[in-house]
Amino acid sequence: MRAARLRPELEVEPTRPPQRLAPHAYALEAVVVDGEDDLADGRLVLLHDPAGHEAWHGTFRLVTLVRAELEPEMASDPLLPEVCWTWLTGALEARGLSYAEAGGTVTRAGSHYFGTLSDRRPATQIEIRASWTPREGRSGVPDTAAHLVAWGDLLCQIAGLPPSGAADAAVVTLPQRRGPQVP
């Protein structure tokens, strides 16, 4: 994974992985940055169990959480969850990656502020939680660097950035909310 060449808008750093999900784990956190603005953030965890795992149908598993703030009008689109899910599968497929047992959720959450917080604009967040089993190559190990790059593509897509490659020219991006993120 350390060999992956990611987009310059991504700031990535290792973080502590979960301890009880698999005998071996590696985790990264990332933020999509545009100037002073954080547009999206996420976490990617690579799990490995040499004995295999029945639910994974393999010995490796990738688990992610990505999220971004959206304009409130975007969250009302009834197709938004399906579109966001296809961003994940599309990112993997665009990189020619083989995977199985993909599953997850797409969640929309809206916040309206009251009282001493009433001067804040309403906020809407989209969140993708997902996991998939990367297919192992001839060496018996999946191309984790390529999966990381595809995950970076997903993170930039949910942030509203345009695709980086010419092959992605037909992809429509969501407009992102600019400005400081309010916790």
Side-chain angles (χ1 to χ4, degrees), residues 10-133:
L10 283 168
E11 294 181 359
V12 181
E13 64 182 44
T15 189
R16 185 178 170 161
Q19 302 296 307
R20 296 185 178 156
L21 297 178
H24 307 282
Y26 182 73
L28 297 169
E29 288 182 342
V31 177
V32 179
V33 177
D34 181 29
E36 297 292 315
D37 298 332
D38 291 354
L39 304 178
D41 62 82
R43 183 173 186 183
L44 181 68
V45 179
L46 173 64
L47 303 172
H48 176 57
D49 186 341
H53 193 284
E54 185 177 326
W56 302 351
H57 292 102
T59 59
F60 290 89
R61 188 78 174 164
L62 285 158
V63 181
T64 190
L65 163 67
V66 296
R67 59 183 167 223
E69 191 173 336
L70 301 173
E71 291 296 331
E73 307 81 53
M74 294 300 299
S76 64
D77 185 336
L79 296 177
L80 183 65
E82 288 83 3
V83 168
C84 290
W85 183 256
T86 63
W87 288 345
L88 169 64
T89 58
L92 295 169
E93 291 162 9
R95 297 281 174 186
L97 297 170
S98 180
Y99 65 94
E101 306 306 319
T105 62
V106 175
T107 304
R108 298 180 261 208
S111 299
H112 296 269
Y113 300 96
F114 300 94
T116 60
L117 301 177
S118 64
D119 59 335
R120 295 183 183 179
R121 297 178 8 171
T124 304
Q125 193 175 65
I126 191 79
E127 177 181 278
I128 302 171
R129 292 179 181 262
S131 63
W132 65 96
T133 299

Side-chain angles (χ1 to χ4, degrees), residues 147-159:
H147 280 271
L148 174 57
V149 172
W151 178 77
D153 293 343
L154 167 66
L155 196 54
C156 288
Q157 181 103 39
I158 200 169

